[in-house]
Structures are given as C-alpha cells and as structure tokens.
Amino acid sequence: MHSQTGVEIPGITANPRVVDVVQPLIDRVQDLIREKNVSYDEWHQAIHFMMDLANSGEMPLLMDVFFEATVDAVASAASASSTTAIEGPYYVPGAPMLEPPCVMPQRPDEPGEPLVFSGTVKTPDGKPIVGALLDVWHSDATVPGTYSNIHPGQPAFNLRGRLQTDEQGRFELRTIRPAPYRIPDQGPTGRLLNALGRHSWRPAHVHVKLTADGYQPLTTQLYFQGDGFLDSDVASAVKDDLILALEPAGSNGGSHLTLRYDFQLAPTNH
Ligand code: DHB
Ligand code: FE
C-alpha cells in the first residue's frame, strides 16, 4: 500500500483537494518507476530536466504544451458559450484600445497578407451584445511566427489590440495573416518533444479573449483551413469548429483575406 494517506498527525492540516489530486499523482509516478524499471541515472536526468526547465523560464510553456488543452476541456464542458481554446503562454494584458475602423498595431512594413477579421458577439438566443471587448493577439507572418513582447524584434504590442462590438454586436479588425508558430526548440521543452519524436509546431492561429459585463469570459483561438499542422498541433488545442475558411475579397483599396466568426457568450450565473 501507499504510505502516509489517512494518517492524522497533530499540528498538520491536510488540504483535502491536495490529498485528492496530488497524492494519486505521486502514487502514479511511483507505479511508473516500478513498471518501467526507472534507473538512478534516469532519475537524476529527470531532476536535471526540471531544474533546467525552471531556470529557462519555460515552465509555463511546457505546462501549456502538455496540459492546458485538458484543463480547457474540463473548464468548458458545461458552458453555453461558443467553443473555447487554450490561452497559451503569450497573452499580455494592456494591449492598445482600437477605435473603428480598427487596424491592428503593426510596423509600417509589416510582412504578411492583409486579413480582415470580422463577426459578431451574441447571446446564446441570438441577441447582440453591445460593447463586448475583444482582446486579440497573434504572431507575425515570418515563418515561424513570433510574438511581440515575448520574442525580440517587434515593437511592444505589435499585432496586439483591443476593440469593442458596435450597437449591433459587430466587430471588424484589419490585420495580417499570422504564420504557423514553432515553440522554442532549443530549450528543455523542445528537447523533450524531440526525444518524444514530436515536432514543435502549432498551426497558425488568432487568439481572442472576449469579455462583456454580465457574461462569462471566453478565451479561444481561430485556425485556418488547409494549415499543415492542424492534425499535429504540438499543444493539441485545435477543435474542428475553430477551423475557418480564409476567403479572398477584393476592393478598390486592394485585395485581402477575410476571416469571419460569430461568438456566443453565456450570461454569468448568479
Ligand atoms: C502554446 C500556445 C500558443 O498559442 C502559442 O502561441 C505557443 C505555445 C502552448 O500551448 O504551448
Ligand atoms: Fe499562440
């Protein structure tokens, strides 16, 4: 039997949730060490790996790659809002507030195909939500894409912006099409993926955090049809109904791609 469970010791206050979740985690690792005959050498390698991970600052990255999609699945199971997805490690609060016509902050020579992202925010029964706040962020169009405020080379808050829905619950944002993203492959997370025989790519995506007074907040990502990494996302975060068509559109101002999505927000439970 496993040690320590259920013993009451004066002066020690067990946290029932920790007993419920972390004790089985420890038990399972112990079982695995026995089952796989883990050696002292491998055990020391595991310790060094975790120290490298902590020192590299990649702890949030590794947690997101391997576990956030599962946390998202649990968190969103009972929600009447539209489909959620992981936040990932690269959200930065405080992005510039944009006013219509909304244009994403970008360099004067920002590479990438022009993209117009538009849609609506409504209640589950179809009423427009006025003044809903969309916080949008995505990588640039270099391959692999990089994120401002995280990777060097872009001005602060490049390709990050906030905008609100209008009187009909509509929004429109002019930006550029992001590239597929590769998580750093030189650090401990990349080395582990390599040792697992897995690549470190995510399909191109647009992140959205959506909030509105009286409604449950929503975090999601939108993906593009035809992307080569949809079926092998390193973060396992793609959901079918978040894969959208990029439709070409033209106007006398030049051609662009359009990305359309209609969000639903469920009211807050009182
Ligand atoms: C992860 C998610 C992202 O959206 C991203 O851009 C990079 C990494 C992740 O889950 O690790
Ligand atoms: Fe991302």
Side-chain angles (χ1 to χ4, degrees):
M1 259 318 289
H2 302 297
S3 54
Q4 286 266 337
T5 44
V7 184
E8 263 185 55
I9 301 166
I12 295 182
T13 317
N15 176 325
R17 185 63 175 164
V18 173
V19 172
D20 193 33
V21 177
V22 181
Q23 187 60 54
L25 173 67
I26 294 166
D27 296 344
R28 283 178 207 190
V29 174
Q30 291 170 347
D31 289 345
L32 206 60
I33 292 169
R34 283 194 200 90
E35 188 187 318
K36 301 295 178 188
N37 279 306
V38 171
S39 68
Y40 256 106
D41 183 45
E42 290 167 332
W43 185 61
H44 284 127
Q45 283 185 46
I47 293 170
H48 280 126
F49 177 80
M50 287 193 278
M51 287 167 63
D52 277 357
L53 185 65
N55 292 334
S56 70
E58 285 190 4
M59 193 79 93
L61 178 69
L62 180 134
M63 292 297 283
D64 287 350
V65 165
F66 291 108
F67 303 114
E68 192 186 354
T70 309
V71 177
D72 167 54
V74 170
S76 65
S79 173
S81 295
S82 45
T83 305
T84 60
I86 65 171
E87 177 173 314
Y90 300 147
Y91 173 67
V92 180
M97 280 297 313
L98 310 176
E99 296 296 333
C102 297
V103 179
M104 200 64 140
Q106 57 194 272
R107 293 163 282 192
D109 55 350
E110 189 66 46
E113 289 170 88
L115 174 69
V116 176
F117 170 37
S118 66
T120 57
V121 181
K122 293 183 174 169
T123 64
D125 50 6
K127 295 197 191 71
I129 302 178
V130 180
L133 184 70
L134 292 99
D135 200 332
V136 183
W137 73 106
H138 60 75
S139 80
D140 71 0
T142 59
V143 181
T146 63
Y147 284 87
S148 67
N149 301 53
I150 306 291
H151 309 104
Q154 294 182 60
F157 290 104
N158 202 51
L159 305 174
R160 298 175 181 273
R162 290 183 288 171
L163 64 159
Q164 284 187 296
T165 53
D166 69 11
E167 296 302 314
Q168 276 104 50
R170 295 175 307 193
F171 67 91
E172 183 172 298
L173 174 64
R174 177 170 276 272
T175 184
I176 54 98
R177 174 188 186 164
Y181 176 77
R182 183 173 202 182
I183 68 159
D185 58 340
Q186 300 305 313
T189 310
R191 278 191 276 120
L192 176 57
L193 286 165
N194 197 56
L196 289 168
R198 289 170 54 176
H199 72 66
S200 48
W201 289 87
R202 299 213 62 222
H205 54 278
V206 174
H207 291 270
V208 183
K209 247 182 196 295
L210 189 52
T211 51
D213 280 348
Y215 296 89
Q216 296 170 24
L218 179 88
T219 301
T220 196
Q221 302 187 17
L222 304 172
Y223 304 93
F224 313 139
Q225 277 175 16
D227 192 300
F229 297 112
L230 292 170
D231 294 329
S232 62
D233 178 12
V234 66
S236 313
V238 178
K239 298 177 183 175
D240 285 349
D241 55 350
L242 299 175
I243 304 172
L244 306 177
L246 285 176
E247 307 281 3
S251 67
N252 41 12
S255 66
H256 61 263
L257 298 168
T258 62
L259 173 69
R260 259 206 69 93
Y261 192 77
D262 295 323
F263 296 91
Q264 274 181 22
L265 287 188
T268 320
N269 309 315
H270 294 290

